[in-house]
């Protein structure tokens, strides 16, 4: 068939008239055009015998092997034997059986047949390709080279009919449809040096730009990983968040990947091609499933939809131009397995978010760009038009992740492994009944919205508190044959609840929070926006876009000896009912909720008592009551974490957590001692804290107790006391926390007023000392100047006297 002639012609650039029956290995230098690829070509003889032996070895379980990069042209003129019926086991590697043969770790194969002999082509289809399929299970690309096309054309000229050429084309099409791992069929001539380079170049391209990670050859569609990757890329360049790519956004994609801008005619041509492709697909759907089913349009309002964008990728793959999608993927941070590489700038603090060397409390806050992105995602994916994200909407948002679940779901256990805390996932959480005075909860709000979507229908209760979200969605576990993940069954998320969960996630781990946003398509400072596209208005992190409600954030650490009491206190803040009797807390857990409170305005006119509705993002981390059982090193590590979370402030005076809540049982002396022990060992004087007393009945508590005396001695606010039986109906703790974080006169730091007066006194003393020092220096300089002046005049008159 001329396989050795084909290799010799490719290497020497001319047709050799005399060549050996079998060539030795040919090593080619790196190709700068194809990623400096180094190629080794191996000429084979009786290659089918090696494959047959490998199949027989697979039955006996022999294993061997190493790895190298080889392209192996295989002839079809080996003796024809019976087709093997055995195949490799799914758990065993074909390379391990072929390692001792000429096929050890081959990357691609070139099958050569003689176009002038029809039986040579039949041998490919009936013997060679089935044999390779059994050995490699379609995991190796194959290039078919039809050699001696010059002789084939001579035969065609001698024949009166063109039926042979038509039959040859139909045979190739049938072969490509049957064997999906055959990447290309190329007609060539070693004698005329025709398309010889194409044969080996396409073999190298098939290895450098593999099709398997991108395309399901059996199903005839993009792989799920490829669809997720390009869906994320689509979001990255959908800069106006309308779910479509306009001309400017297509230009931005082109510029980012390849540099030069597309001309307008190129964009129009692509849209026309997509429209023609769309019409063909719709006609097929009408024929197959009727007019009732129709896929999404690829062009909407003269813009490219997500379906159209994925169709473009599909077209490039079907045209065997795999370098196009792979270049886009590699440029935007994907590896050969379509895993997204997170930039080092994001993961710099991810190794240890509490590392003192690069600790900055500002990193625990969402910046304006991140709030803009999350707000636009909310607006883009809410499907009901009533300001809610359903479970289906959340699934669509996180469909670009390998597991389409939010990071605060059960996926958080693996995602946040090694962090200070994990999100609290509640099952069987029951919201309070609607008759609770002064509080409106999630299910009440949803009913009101379903009746009247107007925001004015959400009246604030007499106490001024409206709970708008539960701590975390309850979930059900459902196992799938392909993916093992949980499907959320929680109620829809409002805009405030959506942001609230992200604030909680950022509080747990800012680096992994930003890595998650990066996976969703937030590119930060990548500067993808072209100048011709107007920038979207920036949303302030303190104002929600729907009704202009002012927003404040409260982050609290809850500590105490009684886990049941702590969980009851946290449930009080979140406004939920839950049985805490069987609680077994082993690690810190963080929960969140949003409450709307009527707070007085900071009006200079004291006679005007205006109040404004304020949304409070409450993030609470519960610390297990195992401090006394910790080792010395564990206590030291915990104290270091508390020092970072509560003790360090940035230039704006912000901390990671605003306050530590020390919970104790008013009727249990040991509980109070535990709270004081925590305070003395973990908290320093500059850390804010409040004490909360709990009990079954607070009516019989003495007027002056030890904890009150302690707080007075440290110049702290006296403990607030709550009854566990009635805590859910009491909003005093929430208001107490608001005062702690918003009122400067609130005494949450020990001896803060005394230290403030002492600092003011020191400043006055320093000012007085400075003034006195400056005065003494002025007096000294004045006296010295006078002395110099008198000495100068005396010397002047002394020189004028004649008797001198």
């Amino acid at each position: 068939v001329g396989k050795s002639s084909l290799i010799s012609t490719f290497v020497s650039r001319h047709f050799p008239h005399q060549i050996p029956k079998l060539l030795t290995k040919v090593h080619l230098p790196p190709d700068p055009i194809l990623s400096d690829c180094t190629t080794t070509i191996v000429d084979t003889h009786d290659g089918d015998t090696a494959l047959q032996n490998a199949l027989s070895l697979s039955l006996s379980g022999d294993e061997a092997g190493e790895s190298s990069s080889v392209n192996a042209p295989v002839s079809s003129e080996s003796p024809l034997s019976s087709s093997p019926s055995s195949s490799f086991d799914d758990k065993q590697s074909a390379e391990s059986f072929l390692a001792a043969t000429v096929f050890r770790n081959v990357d691609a194969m070139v099958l050569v047949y003689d176009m002038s002999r029809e039986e040579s082509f039949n041998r490919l289809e009936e013997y060679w390709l089935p044999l390779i399929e059994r050995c490699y299970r379609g995991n190796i690309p194959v290039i078919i080279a039809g050699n001696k096309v010059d002789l084939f054309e001579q035969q065609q000229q001698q024949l009166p009919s063109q039926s042979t050429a038509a039959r040859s084309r139909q045979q190739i099409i049938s072969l490509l449809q049957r064997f999906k791992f055959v990447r290309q069929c190329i007609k060539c001539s070693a004698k005329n040096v025709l398309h010889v380079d194409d044969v080996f170049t396409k073999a190298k391209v098939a290895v450098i730009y593999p099709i398997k990670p991108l395309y399901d050859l059996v199903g005839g569609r993009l792989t799920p990983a490829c669809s997720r990757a390009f869906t994320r890329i689509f979001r990255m360049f959908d800069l106006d968040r309308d779910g479509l790519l306009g001309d400017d956004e297509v230009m931005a994609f082109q510029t980012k990947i390849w540099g030069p801008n597309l001309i307008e005619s190129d964009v129009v041509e692509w849209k026309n091609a997509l429209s023609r492709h769309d019409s063909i697909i719709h006609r097929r759907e009408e024929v197959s499933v009727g007019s009732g089913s129709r896929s999404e349009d690829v062009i909407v309002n003269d813009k490219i939809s997500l379906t159209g964008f994925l169709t473009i990728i599909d077209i490039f793959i079907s045209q065997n131009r795999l370098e196009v999608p792979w270049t886009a993927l590699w440029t935007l941070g994907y590896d050969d397995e379509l895993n997204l590489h997170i930039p080092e700038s994001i993961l710099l603090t991810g190794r240890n978010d509490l590392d003192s060397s690069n600790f900055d409390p500002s990193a625990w806050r969402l910046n304006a760009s991140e709030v803009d992105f999350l707000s636009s995602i909310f607006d883009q994916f809410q499907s009901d038009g009533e300001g809610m994200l359903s479970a289906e909407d959340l699934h669509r948002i996180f469909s670009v992740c390998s597991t389409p679940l939010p990071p605060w779901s059960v996926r958080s256990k693996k995602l946040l492994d090694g962090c200070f805390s994990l999100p609290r996932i509640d099952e069987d959480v029951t919201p309070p009944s609607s008759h609770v005075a002064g509080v409106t909860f999630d299910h009440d709000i949803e009913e009101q919205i379903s009746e009247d979507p107007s925001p004015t229908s959400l009246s604030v209760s007499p106490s001024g508190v409206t709970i708008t979200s539960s701590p975390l969605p309850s979930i059900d576990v459902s196992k799938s044959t392909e993916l093992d993940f949980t499907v959320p069954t929680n109620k829809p998320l409002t805009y405030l609840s959506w942001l609230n969960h992200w604030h909680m996630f950022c509080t747990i781990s800012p680096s992994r929070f930003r890595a998650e946003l990066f996976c969703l398509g937030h590119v930060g400072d990548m500067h993808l926006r072209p100048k011709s596209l107007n920038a979207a208005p920036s949303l302030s992190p303190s104002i929600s876009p729907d009704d202009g409600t002012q927003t404040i954030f409260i982050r609290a650490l809850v500590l105490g000896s009684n886990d049941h009491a702590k969980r009851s206190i946290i449930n009080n803040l979140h406004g939920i009912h839950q049985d805490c009797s069987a609680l077994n807390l082993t690690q810190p857990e963080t929960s969140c909720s949003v409450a709307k409170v009527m707070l007085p305005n900071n009006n200079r006119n004291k006679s005007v008592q205006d109040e404004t509705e304020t949304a409070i993002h409450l993030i609470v981390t519960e610390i297990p009551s195992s401090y006394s059982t910790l080792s010395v090193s564990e206590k030291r590590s915990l104290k270091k974490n508390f020092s970072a979370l509560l003790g360090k402030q940035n230039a704006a005076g912000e901390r990671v957590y605003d306050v530590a809540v020390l919970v104790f049982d008013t009727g249990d002396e040991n509980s109070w001692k535990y709270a004081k022990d925590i305070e003395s060992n973990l908290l320093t004087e500059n850390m804010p804290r409040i004490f909360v007393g709990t009990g079954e009945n607070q009516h019989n508590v003495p007027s002056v107790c030890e904890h009150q005396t302690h707080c007075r001695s440290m110049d702290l606010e006296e403990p607030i006391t709550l009854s566990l039986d009635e805590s859910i109906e009491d909003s005093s703790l929430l208001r107490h926390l608001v005062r702690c974080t918003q009122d400067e006169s609130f005494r949450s730091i020990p001896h803060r007023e005394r230290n403030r007066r002492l600092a003011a006194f020191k400043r006055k003393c320093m000012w007085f000392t400075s003034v006195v020092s400056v005065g003494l220096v002025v007096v000294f300089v004045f006296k010295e100047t006078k002395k110099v002046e008198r000495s100068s005049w005396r010397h002047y008159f002394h020189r004028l006297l004649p008797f001198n």
Side-chain angles (χ1 to χ4, degrees):
V1 296
K3 60 181 178 59
S4 299
S5 299
L6 197 66
I7 299 173
S8 180
T9 301
F10 173 67
V11 175
S12 62
R13 303 298 177 181
H14 69 276
F15 179 70
H17 294 282
Q18 291 183 353
I19 57 172
K21 185 178 180 180
L22 184 68
L23 294 177
T24 58
K25 287 185 179 181
V26 178
H27 299 279
L28 301 180
D31 188 346
I33 299 178
L34 293 177
S35 305
D36 290 329
C37 172
T38 301
T39 307
T40 301
I41 302 177
V42 180
D43 190 6
T44 64
H45 180 68
D46 293 338
D48 60 333
T49 304
L51 295 177
Q52 291 276 15
N53 292 336
L55 285 173
S56 61
L57 285 174
S58 68
L59 299 177
S60 60
D62 295 339
E63 295 185 1
E66 289 182 32
S67 207
S68 63
S69 179
V70 177
N71 289 332
V74 181
S75 173
S76 63
E77 287 204 342
S78 300
L80 185 63
S81 60
S82 58
S83 179
S85 59
S86 60
S87 62
F88 287 104
D89 185 72
D90 290 338
K91 298 181 181 180
Q92 295 176 332
S93 172
E95 286 80 356
S96 64
F97 295 104
L98 299 170
T101 70
V102 71
F103 293 96
R104 61 187 296 187
N105 303 299
V106 65
D107 293 317
M109 286 188 182
V110 177
L111 294 183
V112 185
Y113 75 97
D114 187 349
M115 291 191 64
S116 62
R117 297 164 52 199
E118 186 174 355
E119 65 272 14
S120 179
F121 179 84
N122 294 336
R123 199 168 292 165
L124 288 181
E125 188 173 13
E126 297 172 2
Y127 179 72
W128 276 103
L129 289 174
L131 180 61
I132 294 173
E133 185 177 32
R134 289 188 179 94
C135 286
Y136 290 96
R137 294 189 170 273
N139 293 328
I140 187 170
V142 173
I143 304 296
I144 294 180
N147 195 19
K148 303 182 181 181
V149 67
D150 52 326
L151 294 180
F152 177 76
E153 291 175 349
Q154 292 178 6
Q155 293 175 356
Q156 291 297 110
Q157 293 175 359
Q158 296 174 0
L159 293 175
S161 174
Q162 299 297 323
S163 59
T164 304
R167 185 170 64 253
S168 176
R169 287 194 297 269
Q170 186 60 39
Q171 287 174 338
I172 292 176
I173 293 174
S174 176
L175 183 143
L176 292 174
Q177 292 176 345
R178 178 183 173 186
F179 301 100
K180 303 295 185 180
F181 55 89
V182 177
R183 292 289 298 275
Q184 205 159 353
C185 293
I186 302 174
K187 297 178 181 179
C188 62
S189 172
K191 182 178 181 181
N192 296 339
V193 197
L194 178 66
H195 301 315
V196 175
D197 287 355
D198 290 345
V199 172
F200 296 96
T201 299
K202 293 300 182 182
K204 290 189 287 186
V205 168
V207 176
I208 297 173
Y209 305 110
I211 192 173
K212 186 176 180 181
L214 303 182
Y215 204 76
D216 181 3
L217 294 172
V218 177
R221 58 180 178 271
L222 299 179
T223 62
C226 181
S227 297
R228 288 195 301 267
F230 280 102
T231 299
R232 175 186 172 273
I233 293 174
F234 179 89
R235 291 185 189 177
M236 289 174 58
F237 292 91
D238 181 18
L239 302 174
D240 55 5
R241 302 297 171 196
D242 61 348
L244 303 169
L245 290 185
D247 292 353
D248 291 328
E249 294 165 332
V250 173
M251 294 290 188
F253 174 72
Q254 163 75 19
T255 304
K256 179 65 180 179
I257 306 303
W258 291 280
N261 289 327
L262 289 171
I263 60 177
E264 186 177 353
S265 60
D266 292 334
V267 180
V268 174
E269 184 177 351
W270 263 111
K271 291 180 180 179
N272 293 334
L274 283 175
S275 298
R276 291 192 298 268
H277 182 273
D278 191 35
S279 61
I280 295 173
I281 295 299
H282 288 332
R283 285 199 298 269
R284 291 177 180 174
E285 290 176 350
E286 292 175 358
V287 172
S288 59
V289 297
S291 58
S293 176
R294 183 180 175 89
S295 61
E296 182 184 353
D297 293 332
V298 296
I299 302 294
V300 179
N301 299 329
D302 199 34
K303 295 182 178 181
I304 300 176
S305 67
L306 174 60
T307 302
F309 186 71
L310 296 179
T311 301
I312 292 175
I313 303 303
D314 193 294
I315 291 175
F316 276 118
I317 295 176
S318 63
Q319 293 178 349
N320 217 18
R321 296 182 59 188
L322 291 166
E323 70 277 3
V324 174
W326 274 117
T327 301
L329 290 168
W330 290 335
T331 303
L332 297 175
Y334 289 88
D335 62 14
D336 294 344
E337 301 297 329
L338 299 188
N339 298 314
L340 180 61
H341 172 71
I342 306 299
E344 285 295 327
S345 58
I346 295 177
L347 293 180
L348 184 61
T349 59
R351 301 180 183 93
N352 187 1
D353 286 314
L354 298 177
D355 188 3
S356 58
S357 61
N358 51 26
F359 184 83
D360 180 13
S362 302
W364 270 256
R365 303 290 192 269
L366 273 67
N367 57 43
S369 172
E370 293 160 350
V371 174
D372 283 349
F373 175 76
L374 293 173
S375 300
S376 62
I377 287 291
F378 182 90
D379 293 335
Q380 180 180 352
F381 286 92
Q382 56 150 334
S383 58
D384 59 2
E386 296 180 350
M388 292 281 184
L389 286 178
S390 64
E392 292 77 12
D393 297 335
L394 290 174
H395 185 276
R396 288 193 298 131
I397 291 174
F398 294 98
S399 61
V400 295
C401 303
S402 57
T403 303
L405 286 175
W408 50 82
S409 64
V410 292
R411 185 163 70 95
S412 62
K413 186 172 183 181
K414 181 178 181 181
L415 180 64
L416 298 173
D417 183 34
C419 294
F420 177 71
S421 69
L422 292 177
R424 166 183 162 186
I425 301 176
D426 286 330
E427 299 178 4
D428 302 327
V429 175
T430 306
S433 57
S434 303
H435 68 271
V436 178
V439 183
T440 306
F441 297 96
D442 240 358
H443 63 285
D444 299 322
I445 292 178
E446 291 171 12
E447 291 174 359
Q448 293 179 19
I449 289 181
S450 62
E451 296 172 359
D452 183 6
S454 173
T456 57
S457 66
L458 303 180
S459 58
V460 180
S461 57
S463 67
V465 179
T466 305
I467 304 295
T468 63
S469 71
S470 60
L472 278 176
S474 58
I475 56 172
D476 290 339
V477 177
S478 62
K479 294 186 177 180
S480 173
T481 56
E482 297 182 357
L483 293 176
D484 184 12
F485 60 87
T486 59
V487 178
T489 60
N490 57 293
K491 293 184 178 180
L493 289 178
T494 64
Y495 170 77
L496 290 177
S497 298
W498 166 253
L499 279 187
N500 185 236
H501 284 80
W502 285 107
H503 283 291
M504 177 194 66
F505 187 40
C506 185
T507 302
I508 295 174
S509 175
S511 61
R512 300 181 198 191
F513 156 76
R514 289 177 175 87
E516 189 73 12
L517 286 192
F518 184 79
C519 293
L520 291 181
H522 180 249
V523 293
D525 58 351
M526 287 183 66
H527 307 296
L528 300 179
R529 185 177 299 276
K531 294 181 179 179
S532 57
L533 191 64
N534 295 328
S538 176
L539 296 173
S540 171
S542 61
I543 300 179
S544 58
D546 49 353
D547 57 0
T549 303
Q550 297 296 321
T551 304
I552 62 175
F553 299 90
I554 300 177
R555 297 170 174 84
L557 288 166
V558 180
L559 305 96
S561 61
N562 190 333
D563 288 339
H564 169 69
K566 288 185 297 183
R567 182 57 61 92
S568 299
I569 289 295
I570 294 174
N571 290 344
N572 167 266
L573 293 172
H574 293 318
I576 59 175
H577 281 304
Q578 186 186 35
D579 184 12
C580 309
S581 57
L583 180 65
N584 183 22
L585 191 64
T586 58
Q587 61 183 7
E589 292 185 354
T590 302
S591 55
C592 64
S593 64
V594 181
K596 290 187 176 180
V597 181
M598 299 299 296
L599 296 179
N601 285 330
N602 295 325
N603 200 327
R604 295 182 179 181
N605 188 359
K606 301 298 183 181
S607 61
V608 180
Q609 297 293 334
D610 291 338
E611 288 188 341
T612 303
E613 186 181 43
T614 303
I616 301 175
H617 287 268
L618 185 63
I619 300 168
V620 182
T621 298
E622 182 179 3
I623 309 298
S625 57
S626 57
Y627 179 77
S628 57
T629 61
L630 298 179
S631 63
V632 176
S633 60
E634 291 174 335
K635 290 182 178 179
R636 190 182 298 112
S637 176
L638 185 60
K639 184 174 183 179
K640 181 181 178 181
N641 291 338
F642 267 75
S643 176
L645 296 172
L646 269 173
K648 295 187 178 181
Q649 296 176 272
N650 59 9
E654 296 175 331
R655 310 171 191 265
V656 177
Y657 284 87
D658 301 299
V659 63
V661 180
L662 300 173
V663 181
F664 64 95
D665 189 345
T666 54
D668 186 357
E669 183 178 356
N670 293 329
S671 176
W672 169 247
K673 289 182 178 180
Y674 182 89
K676 286 201 304 180
D677 186 38
I678 289 289
E679 181 188 27
S680 60
N681 288 282
L682 293 182
L683 306 183
T684 59
E685 283 196 359
N686 66 330
M687 297 181 184
R689 84 273 327 251
I690 62 173
F691 287 89
V692 178
T694 63
E696 298 298 331
N697 190 348
Q698 298 299 324
H699 300 291
N700 298 326
V701 177
S703 58
V704 179
C705 301
E706 183 180 356
H707 51 266
Q708 294 175 329
T709 304
H710 172 77
C711 291
R712 291 172 185 174
S713 65
M714 299 191 67
D715 194 23
L716 295 172
E717 293 287 338
E718 292 190 3
I720 181 174
T721 55
L722 297 174
S723 173
L724 296 182
D725 296 334
E726 303 175 356
S727 61
I728 194 64
E729 303 178 12
D730 192 354
S731 63
S732 58
L733 178 57
L734 178 61
R735 294 184 174 276
H736 197 66
L737 282 175
V738 172
R739 286 187 56 221
C740 174
T741 57
Q742 304 299 315
D743 190 354
E744 294 184 358
S745 63
F746 191 91
R747 297 171 297 169
S748 59
I749 299 179
H751 310 295
R752 180 165 63 176
E753 187 62 29
R754 185 190 66 182
N755 295 336
R756 187 181 302 168
R757 290 194 298 265
L758 182 60
F761 176 75
K762 289 182 178 180
R763 287 194 299 268
K764 290 179 180 179
C765 290
M766 292 178 63
W767 178 83
F768 178 76
T769 303
S770 300
V771 170
V772 171
S773 300
V774 171
L776 292 176
V777 170
V778 169
V779 171
F780 176 78
V781 171
F782 179 77
K783 289 183 177 182
E784 291 297 320
T785 303
K786 288 295 183 181
K787 290 180 180 180
V788 171
E789 289 178 354
R790 287 196 296 269
S791 175
S792 299
W793 281 105
R794 186 181 301 111
H795 179 70
Y796 174 73
F797 283 111
H798 183 71
R799 294 184 58 186
L800 290 178
L801 293 176
F803 49 80
N804 191 24

